[in-house]
Amino acid sequence: MNDFFKKPALISIGVILCAFCVYVFVKYAQLSFTPVSAIVESVPMVSRGSIVDRTGKPLAVQTNFYHVGITPNLVKGSIRSFAEDIAGPLGMTVDEILGIIQKNPDASFVYLKKKITQAEYAELKKITDMHGYFYVTYDKIPGRVYPENNLASQVIGYMGDDGTGLAGIEYSMQSLLQPAFIDGKGESEKNIYLTIDANLQYKLEEISYQTLKETQAEAMMMIVADSTNGEILSYISLPSANLNEYSYASKEQTFDRPAMESYEPGSVFKIFTVAMSYDKGLINADDVFLCDGRYERRVKGGETVRIKCLEYHGWLTPRDALKYSCNDALGQISDKMSDGEFIERIKALGFGSRTGIELPGETAGSVKNPDSGRWSLRSKPTIAIGQEIGVSALQMVQATTAIANKGVPLKLTLIKKITNKDGSENYEHTANVLERVFKESTADYILSCMETTAISGNGARAHLRDISMGVKTGTAQMADPKGGYSETDFLSSCMAIFPIEKPQIILYIVVEKAKGETYAGRIVAPVIARAADEIIDYLGMSRGDSEAIYHSGKVSISSSKTISLGSSLPDFIGMSKKDIMNFMRENNMQIKINGSGWVKSQSPAPGTPVVENMIIELNLE
């Protein structure tokens, strides 16, 4: 043994062992006296709440997506075989995969594809595990699936790759859908129940798409609101985006028109002008205004304002002024109010202010002030007929709730309720009543005027004979980007309230830049009828014979005659004013009516050849 283990070798081993023991002892001593570090808790991952319709139908739900990456410098064997194996699940071509790898042959990491679905991931993972493709990696990221694609897309909105809402309710309710964690603490996510009814929304979107096709319009809006509580049952803005392909959508498809677009509403605004004057006692139901084809006003300084009316209506009550949408009579009615009071009451209706609905980017519109440099002598009568004022569709509907709700407006909402993760209720909507703007008698009078318009006025094509309905149509020239008003672009709209006896629904439709026919009474009123028909059936509203007839109480009996327009002017002698009005609507003639009763004389004489833009003057007694 002494010969085998040499003394120097034993000394060397002993020194090494001693040094090692000293090292271990020193390190142990250091660790013993070092303070214990606090344990860092991992931040909990928060899932995102769902967005559902009022019945609980899913409209936006949480899911997971995967980013697929690869380390090219670790790829072994045939690159083409690898590409052929994974091309199908990735939804890529073999050449696309080869191009990525060959472009980055020495890279330590590169993405093959981002945001593949859970199903695609499961199929791809099975293949890569089976073939031992260890150099393929997956990054799991939270995401959203929108089961109804385009349905109510501007309301629902969109969530970006970073888990943050970018539009609609996804954006405005971000703090509830996915609460932030601070110092490891925070609330759980909430589920948002919209007031929208997905099934009704689908039915009305079908009607809206058909309307766009028939009118060749560029855009369209439709809002259906419950006039008893301000809840929006349907919210349509076309064109719209497929939320599952939001990144490919155009600006027009993502634009939320009812909330963000400010436009001149046209003659629908006349219901508010008459209501404001009637409510202040400046006009009454029996007042009459003479329409001679244009509103004209002169001031001492010599300035003259002229606003053209589409027809020569003769003497009209406020009810008739709305029925025939007379610009002349509405201008005269606006003269009854001072400039300041006129604008003050318009602002009290909510125009010039945001409604505060739960959507981002809402416009406040624009209302001129009488003391501003933009105000002119023609501003008030022009605003009275729905021009020179900027409104949103939401403002129009919210202001109309005052007429449907006995003079008291209601705040509009898109949120029915909010629930916690366990399903318990966190919030439930109740009607938010705003400050009264009209007397109850005023609201009743305007409703009856709108019903007259539906039965025998410009909105007759919207009327359903088995339910009472009030309507008001409007056709407005749109602003020309170069200045002034366009000669070709029109905004055609119609507001409806039904049933009149106990208003339940407000239906508002706007069609923008239709081709060909643009008169709202012809292209929008029929859409109101179709949409109302769907709403009534879907909600199970009762139907019945509800048509009302308004009459002065005086009965005159006269023989009537039927005439038709040919190449020469017919004989109007003996016709009643009512027959003349029917003839005007059917033949789109310009007729100036003087007096009342029956036609005693006419100019030009019967038999005169009919020419374009001919004006016929009839004298009645």
Side-chain angles (χ1 to χ4, degrees):
M1 290 288 292
N2 290 335
D3 293 334
F4 182 78
F5 291 103
K6 304 296 182 182
K7 189 175 182 178
L10 290 173
I11 293 173
S12 298
I13 293 172
V15 170
I16 293 172
L17 287 173
C18 289
F20 177 74
C21 289
V22 170
Y23 171 79
V24 170
F25 178 80
V26 171
K27 293 300 292 183
Y28 180 79
Q30 287 178 341
L31 290 173
S32 298
F33 290 101
T34 300
V36 178
S37 300
I39 298 174
V40 179
E41 295 183 1
S42 61
V43 178
M45 292 294 292
V46 184
S47 60
R48 191 175 181 87
S50 297
I51 300 174
V52 301
D53 84 334
R54 66 188 297 117
T55 67
K57 185 179 180 123
L59 299 176
V61 294
Q62 179 79 4
T63 188
N64 291 316
F65 291 105
Y66 296 84
H67 293 339
V68 183
I70 186 175
T71 306
N73 59 16
L74 294 181
V75 176
K76 305 298 182 183
S78 171
I79 298 177
R80 176 167 288 276
S81 295
F82 165 72
E84 290 173 349
D85 288 338
I86 67 171
L90 278 179
M92 300 172 66
T93 66
V94 172
D95 289 340
E96 286 175 334
I97 296 171
L98 290 175
I100 294 173
I101 297 173
Q102 292 169 354
K103 187 177 180 180
N104 307 276
D106 300 320
S108 59
F109 180 81
V110 64
Y111 279 117
L112 285 177
K113 189 173 183 179
K114 292 186 176 182
K115 286 191 72 173
I116 67 170
T117 66
Q118 182 75 40
E120 292 169 335
Y121 161 75
E123 184 180 357
L124 183 62
K125 186 73 164 57
K126 183 178 179 180
I127 292 173
T128 55
D129 287 351
M130 181 176 65
H131 290 281
Y133 297 144
F134 63 90
Y135 36 80
V136 178
T137 58
Y138 304 94
D139 294 335
K140 182 179 178 181
I141 61 169
R144 275 300 218 204
V145 169
Y146 301 96
E148 302 300 323
N149 298 318
N150 292 61
L151 194 81
S153 64
Q154 286 90 350
V155 173
I156 298 166
Y158 178 74
M159 188 190 81
D161 290 346
D162 63 352
T164 303
L166 300 179
I169 295 297
E170 291 276 34
Y171 175 86
S172 63
M173 296 289 134
Q174 169 71 22
S175 61
L176 294 177
L177 288 166
Q178 191 169 346
F181 270 73
I182 301 175
D183 297 330
K185 297 179 180 180
E187 296 184 359
S188 63
E189 72 276 11
K190 305 290 190 294
N191 297 316
I192 307 294
Y193 281 72
L194 301 180
T195 57
I196 299 294
D197 187 303
N199 291 329
L200 180 61
Q201 177 83 11
Y202 176 77
K203 292 174 183 289
L204 297 181
E205 283 195 9
E206 280 192 320
I207 292 174
S208 299
Y209 280 114
Q210 184 63 30
T211 300
L212 279 185
K213 182 179 179 181
E214 291 171 353
T215 62
Q216 301 180 59
E218 290 189 9
M220 179 174 172
M221 296 180 271
M222 181 189 295
I223 296 177
V224 180
D226 186 330
S227 61
T228 67
N229 56 24
E231 293 179 2
I232 295 178
L233 305 178
S234 181
Y235 186 107
I236 296 172
S237 178
L238 299 182
S240 62
N242 183 338
L243 294 176
N244 292 306
E245 300 175 355
Y246 194 83
S247 58
Y248 303 104
S250 66
K251 183 179 179 181
E252 288 293 307
Q253 291 173 322
T254 61
F255 185 50
D256 180 3
R257 294 180 181 278
M260 297 181 177
E261 183 176 14
S262 177
Y263 59 90
E264 296 182 353
S267 294
V268 174
F269 197 81
K270 292 173 181 176
I271 59 176
F272 304 121
T273 301
V274 173
M276 291 186 296
S277 298
Y278 186 88
D279 195 68
K280 293 294 290 183
L282 303 175
I283 61 171
N284 61 60
D286 297 324
D287 286 344
V288 289
F289 303 88
L290 177 61
C291 169
D292 59 4
R294 68 180 180 184
Y295 167 85
E296 186 171 295
R297 183 183 176 193
R298 294 185 179 89
V299 293
K300 293 181 180 179
E303 185 180 356
T304 301
V305 175
R306 294 185 180 89
I307 299 175
K308 184 180 178 182
C309 194
L310 294 177
E311 300 179 10
Y312 296 82
H313 294 113
W315 290 100
L316 300 174
T317 63
R319 182 186 301 276
D320 294 329
L322 290 177
K323 175 179 176 179
Y324 299 117
S325 200
C326 178
N327 291 344
D328 189 351
L330 264 294
Q332 295 177 56
I333 289 173
S334 72
D335 286 339
K336 301 285 186 178
M337 247 186 297
S338 68
D339 295 351
E341 185 178 23
F342 181 69
I343 293 301
E344 181 182 342
R345 301 217 66 180
I346 284 175
K347 289 182 176 180
L349 281 164
F351 297 106
S353 303
R354 296 176 179 86
T355 66
I357 201 164
E358 306 89 352
L359 289 172
E362 184 185 5
T363 180
S366 60
V367 177
K368 291 182 178 180
N369 288 316
D371 56 356
S372 72
R374 297 168 57 227
W375 188 268
S376 69
L377 183 64
R378 68 179 294 116
S379 291
K380 186 170 62 175
T382 304
I383 293 172
I385 63 174
Q387 303 268 186
E388 277 195 45
I389 183 173
V391 306
S392 71
L394 288 172
Q395 288 175 335
M396 290 292 288
V397 173
Q398 184 160 293
T400 303
T401 62
I403 296 172
N405 194 46
K406 301 184 181 301
V408 181
L410 299 171
K411 182 177 173 60
L412 296 179
T413 184
L414 282 162
I415 306 298
K416 177 67 175 174
K417 66 179 179 179
I418 299 172
T419 63
N420 297 312
K421 188 176 182 179
D422 60 5
S424 60
E425 283 192 5
N426 180 272
Y427 161 85
E428 185 168 9
H429 173 258
T430 56
N432 189 342
V433 180
L434 304 178
E435 187 175 346
R436 178 179 288 277
V437 293
F438 299 133
K439 301 183 186 74
E440 184 174 338
S441 58
T442 299
D444 290 341
Y445 175 68
I446 298 300
L447 276 174
S448 70
C449 290
M450 292 177 70
E451 185 176 20
T452 300
T453 303
I455 293 171
S456 56
N458 293 343
R461 297 189 185 193
H463 190 223
L464 299 175
R465 301 300 170 184
D466 56 1
I467 193 168
S468 60
M469 177 184 292
V471 303
K472 183 67 191 82
T473 61
T475 307
Q477 285 179 285
M478 299 184 73
D480 190 325
K482 298 179 181 178
Y485 288 99
S486 171
E487 295 295 326
T488 58
D489 295 339
F490 291 85
L491 185 141
S492 311
S493 61
C494 187
M495 183 76 75
I497 304 173
F498 56 92
I500 290 296
E501 297 81 14
K502 192 175 181 181
Q504 183 178 341
I505 296 295
I506 296 173
L507 170 60
Y508 184 49
I509 298 178
V510 180
V511 175
E512 297 184 31
K513 298 183 181 180
K515 304 296 187 297
E517 178 63 70
T518 58
Y519 184 56
R522 296 191 179 100
I523 67 169
V524 185
V527 185
I528 288 280
R530 290 166 57 194
D533 219 22
E534 285 286 357
I535 295 166
I536 292 164
D537 285 345
Y538 185 79
L539 298 181
M541 298 170 67
S542 61
R543 294 177 182 262
D545 185 10
S546 59
E547 185 166 320
I549 298 175
Y550 295 92
H551 198 273
S552 65
K554 297 180 180 180
V555 179
S556 299
I557 301 175
S558 176
S559 59
S560 61
K561 61 179 182 178
T562 303
I563 59 174
S564 59
L565 182 66
S567 59
S568 58
L569 204 61
D571 184 359
F572 291 96
I573 305 301
M575 288 186 66
S576 68
K577 188 174 182 179
K578 178 181 177 181
D579 293 333
I580 296 168
M581 293 298 184
N582 291 333
F583 177 83
M584 289 167 61
R585 284 194 294 271
E586 293 173 1
N587 297 281
N588 196 26
M589 294 292 292
Q590 297 186 52
I591 301 179
K592 181 177 181 181
I593 302 174
N594 302 317
S596 60
W598 290 268
V599 179
K600 295 301 181 183
S601 63
Q602 71 179 75
S603 176
T608 303
V610 175
V611 296
E612 188 176 2
N613 297 322
M614 172 183 277
I615 298 176
I616 306 166
E617 186 170 359
L618 303 178
N619 299 306
L620 282 64
E621 292 183 10

